Amino acid sequence: MKPERAYDELRRFQLETAYYESLGALAAWDQRTYIPRKGHAHRARQFAALAQLLHRRRTDPRIGEWLDALEGSPLVADPESPAAVNVREWRRDYERAVRVPEKLAVALAEAKSEGESAWESLRAKNNWTAFKPYLKRLLDLQREYAEAVGYETEPYDALLEDYEPGERAERLTRLFDELGAATRRLLEGILGSSVRPPTEVLHRDFPVATQREVVHEVTAALGYNLEGGRIDPTAHPFELSVGPGDVRITTRYYPDYFNAAFFGSVHEAGHAMYEQGLPAEHWGSPMGQAVSMGVHESQSRLWENMVGRSLGFWRRFYPLVQARFAALAGVPLEDFHLAVNAVKPSLIRVEADEVTYNLHILIRFELELALFRGELEVDDLPGAWNEKYRAYLGVTPPDYKDGVMQDVHWGSGLFGYFPTYTLGNVYAAQLFARAEAELGPQEPAFERGEFAPLLEWMRKKIHAHGRRYPPRRLVEEATGEPPTAIYLIHYLEDRFGALYDL
């Protein structure tokens, strides 16, 4: 078969698979937003049936035949061309897929759906005992999956590969050692400071209807195209791309707390802007896909924190917010800005400040490693969780829902996902530093309401490349040097040193 024909047939086949996947994404969004309570069991069976269909397509022997006809041909001679990138990444995906038995793929899909539904209802009831069987089943299946796809050093690396290709537990351990030490030094200084942020101003009356209006206006101003998206309430915020022109985000509202919906929405809008910036003409192929969750998180964390918690941003938006919420009448901008940047060790990861956030991720990383190394059992997880929270953050969860059950990830079988949050912080700081070097200081632009230059820089340097480069290479191409934690450390020291008079 001629390479051109092989590529056309492979491209059409993979595009059809992508349409099935997008229908699954729509079902996943529905499950986490508006599905009737009694519909979860049927949805799990739907996901199992879809997983069987997708597994058969992803392992279709014709994919291997098409790839054989393409590899080494002139069509893929330029390794950075869209055709070459697609062929390389399709080969990677195919080789991983064929190692997973169909029975395991279907069981995982069903267990993930059931686990997520169970988490949503059982967390609210603080019922760890009832949730444990779901978690144990998912852990067993993920261990089986890791053995099936293979690894060089340890099972956890096989899971990392699904979210951050090329990343390894050994390198992450070194990163967390460096970042953890710097974080503890900074946190010690902050806790010893006489500065006391007036965080009580964030815990007043914030009508949910008004919050909805504000988050729609602000995320649109940042660049989230709401004509191709929507914002809905959910138990755990997320972004989900159904396809070109349909990239959705969710948030959760508290009538007596400002931060959750506002910063959660900006965070998810960062994810959505990445998806909206991917080349639509390459949708359904690797060139039209995000390269990794770490890079994805770099976009969400950058917009949430480096943009959304900056003084320039609030000089622009505080008059709007203050005018909408009577609870903020008389609260000076400087007090509000200090409050939204307050640093305090806490229980809840998604509400954690920038300084302590990576300690939350470190805890989950260490627990996941212990689980997959056989050093920790699910029955002992709550005790290990509480012990690490006391040691690293000086707080102890009063119950399961705000402790070991607080995140949806384990209930969804997403082991290996958590480290990408910290990688996202590392990448974001490095990317933002380079963007400022090329565009100039961004806070004056934010104050003027000019967010498009930064978004366009990200579109050019990150979004447009899809999976052209592996994640670490992509960051290096964008910034001129390999990923390093030093930019994040300096960013945190500079911002919070100034806020806390260190």
Side-chain angles (χ1 to χ4, degrees), residues 20-33 35 39-56 58 102-117 120 137 238 240 411-412:
Y20 289 124
E21 291 171 336
S22 70
L23 289 171
L26 187 60
W29 170 83
D30 176 70
Q31 177 172 310
R32 296 167 73 175
T33 52
I35 190 173
H40 287 286
H42 180 67
R43 184 57 45 85
R45 291 190 291 270
Q46 286 179 308
F47 281 130
L50 181 61
Q52 183 179 59
L53 170 66
L54 290 173
H55 186 267
R56 289 176 179 174
R58 291 166 183 158
E102 180 181 296
K103 183 179 179 181
L104 174 58
V106 172
L108 264 170
E110 190 168 23
K112 288 178 179 181
S113 178
E114 292 174 345
E116 184 174 310
S117 299
E120 186 172 337
R137 182 176 181 229
F238 64 93
L240 189 145
S412 301

Side-chain angles (χ1 to χ4, degrees), residues 202-217:
L202 304 174
H203 296 272
R204 295 180 176 178
D205 181 28
F206 296 100
V208 167
T210 307
Q211 288 191 59
R212 287 196 188 100
E213 294 174 1
V214 169
V215 300
H216 275 76
E217 291 180 37

Side-chain angles (χ1 to χ4, degrees), residues 132-208:
K132 273 195 305 183
Y134 295 95
L135 187 56
K136 287 181 178 180
R137 182 176 181 229
L138 281 163
L139 184 61
D140 288 342
L141 289 170
Q142 288 288 36
R143 285 170 173 159
E144 188 178 346
Y145 172 82
E147 295 300 323
V149 297
Y151 51 87
E152 293 181 1
T153 305
E154 59 178 304
Y156 195 71
D157 290 344
L159 306 179
L160 286 172
E161 194 70 25
D162 281 341
Y163 306 110
E164 200 68 16
E167 197 52 75
R168 297 292 180 265
E170 182 182 8
R171 184 162 55 204
L172 285 172
T173 299
R174 294 196 300 269
L175 169 64
F176 278 114
D177 286 345
E178 177 185 11
L179 191 54
T183 298
R184 292 184 186 95
R185 289 194 301 270
L186 178 58
L187 182 59
E188 182 178 355
I190 290 171
L191 295 179
S193 170
S194 60
V195 175
R196 294 291 180 266
T199 54
E200 69 277 1
V201 304
L202 304 174
H203 296 272
R204 295 180 176 178
D205 181 28
F206 296 100
V208 167

